[in-house]
Amino acid sequence: MSTESTGPASAFAAAQLTRATGAGLDPHAYLRATAGAASVGAWSEALIRTARQYVARAGQAAAPGSSASPAAAVSAVSAGEYEQAAARWFHFATLSPHAAGSTHHAYAAAEADAAMGRALALLEPGARRLEGPAFTGWLRGPADAPSTVIVVPGLDSGKEEFHRVTAALLRRGSAVFTMDGPGQGALAASTTLRADYDRVIGQVIDALALDRVGLIGLSLGGYYVARTAALEPRVAAAAVVSGPHRLDWDALPPPLQDLLTQRAGGVDAAREFTAEVDLSALAPRIACPLLVVDGGEDRVPGVTNGAELARQAPNGDHLLIPQGDHLLGNAQPDWLPTTTDWLTRTLRFRGAAVSSPCAGGPVRP
């Protein structure tokens, strides 16, 4: 959840830098693309132009040679990587506050979704698209993986954003489902936020046909994950990254109020949604191991961060990265390996000994 939505475009671009680089955008390419943008709308258009350049490179990489030749196989990898990059650039173009709810936003979100589909067809042909009444996403990784983790995005994020989180989990042997839910990503144009996101994740678990999953939620997705961990018995372990414990509408910065209003479908709906974001009663009901990751520099008026959640949850641990900002894109080596190690280890341990209430063990960065 970014709180920067007005003012000079350069300030907005700077505010998005660590989030962009944390998601895998090359920082030098980002600075070149956004330099000189005269408005936040122009910033978004610059990202779309860059995304189209990656799509064009993908087409060029896939064009030469016979499809059966070794060179063509290598070119397909390059094409897939370019499409994956394009998906992230298209997604970040949707973060412009002036694009939310517009055809511009819908176009960029649809292009991000399409580019990721093309990327996975080339890089991971075994990836499967799963859709339900309130979600859509990709299941990636081995069919016989010992654990499955659902990656839950936040207020203005989507399944294309958390590439590095997904890649880290895949490298550790987990299957991963990256999703968009109500008001997110590919569904943002046709749906609005809902506080009972636990029901959406329940739909996902049904579609996966599993009796045990792990969850990781980022930003507002952290609230969704903590709520689900309290209410859904099939959650075996959960990690919350930069997730709010509580929101106070009256204290939120106006840009964040505006973003909530756009994603909720109106100011009254946004107020009602915000009032629901309070884990005080639910945190003590989280029986599974819970890891809460916060950045010490992540301070937004009206947002109570995760330390209280970790304290109230019976099996909660708190990992504070003092220099970390929101989503900790400026400090990924300090939390991402630790968090994905913890989640993978906890799920595997609990799979072997489900009766252990503290299966993951202490967190040591």
Side-chain angles (χ1 to χ4, degrees):
M1 294 183 293
S2 171
T3 62
E4 298 286 342
S5 70
T6 58
S10 59
F12 181 83
Q16 305 303 321
L17 176 60
T18 61
R19 179 173 174 179
T21 56
L25 272 66
D26 179 84
H28 304 289
Y30 176 83
L31 292 173
R32 286 195 300 269
T34 59
S39 66
V40 175
W43 171 90
S44 182
E45 291 167 2
L47 268 60
I48 288 176
R49 284 196 300 273
T50 305
R52 289 171 177 159
Q53 291 169 6
Y54 279 107
V55 172
R57 291 176 190 173
Q60 293 166 1
S66 165
S67 60
S69 70
V74 175
S75 297
V77 172
S78 296
E81 290 173 344
Y82 284 137
E83 292 283 12
Q84 202 168 52
R88 294 195 291 273
W89 283 88
F90 276 126
H91 164 68
F92 266 83
T94 70
L95 302 188
S96 165
H98 305 300
S102 68
T103 55
H104 179 93
H105 178 281
Y107 166 79
E111 288 298 308
D113 186 48
M116 182 56 75
R118 294 191 298 268
L120 291 176
L122 292 165
L123 298 174
E124 300 176 39
R128 287 195 296 138
R129 183 71 173 234
L130 296 179
E131 297 183 340
F135 74 88
T136 187
W138 291 99
L139 177 62
R140 301 166 60 183
D144 59 350
S147 58
T148 299
V149 179
I150 302 170
V151 180
V152 181
L155 176 58
D156 58 354
S157 52
K159 63 186 180 301
E160 291 80 27
E161 180 164 346
F162 300 113
H163 163 74
R164 287 181 172 171
V165 174
T166 300
L169 289 165
L170 289 170
R171 284 194 298 270
R172 286 158 175 78
S174 291
V176 182
F177 184 72
T178 55
M179 66 175 290
D180 292 330
Q184 298 170 324
L187 301 182
S190 58
T191 61
T192 55
L193 298 176
R194 52 187 285 187
D196 63 340
Y197 203 102
D198 54 291
R199 295 178 180 271
V200 180
I201 294 177
Q203 292 176 14
V204 173
I205 301 173
D206 290 343
L208 294 171
L210 295 171
D211 58 11
R212 182 177 60 90
V213 300
L215 304 178
I216 182 168
L218 301 103
S219 191
L220 185 61
Y223 163 76
Y224 294 148
V225 159
R227 179 186 175 98
T228 305
L231 300 174
E232 170 56 72
R234 292 173 290 181
V235 178
V240 170
V241 180
S242 294
H245 179 266
R246 181 176 179 274
L247 296 180
D248 178 356
W249 174 267
D250 292 331
L252 293 175
L256 189 49
Q257 290 181 341
D258 291 343
L259 183 55
L260 282 161
T261 298
Q262 291 164 350
R263 296 289 174 137
V267 66
D268 291 340
R271 284 180 173 273
E272 292 174 8
F273 174 86
T274 302
E276 289 286 330
V277 182
D278 187 343
L279 293 167
S280 301
L282 289 173
R285 298 174 58 182
I286 301 174
C288 70
L290 174 73
L291 175 61
V292 179
V293 183
D294 279 328
E297 296 300 316
D298 183 9
R299 304 186 188 99
V300 180
V303 180
T304 302
N305 287 346
E308 187 67 10
L309 169 61
R311 187 189 68 79
Q312 291 180 340
N315 299 304
D317 278 308
H318 190 225
L319 177 59
L320 177 66
I321 307 301
Q323 74 277 20
D325 57 12
H326 188 64
L327 290 173
L328 299 102
N330 66 334
Q332 273 195 346
D334 299 318
W335 68 272
L336 183 55
T338 300
T339 301
T340 49
D341 280 349
W342 177 90
L343 195 51
T344 304
R345 182 178 69 243
T346 301
L347 288 169
R348 291 181 182 177
F349 193 94
R350 285 177 68 82
V354 175
S355 62
S356 172
C358 297
V363 178
R364 293 185 176 89

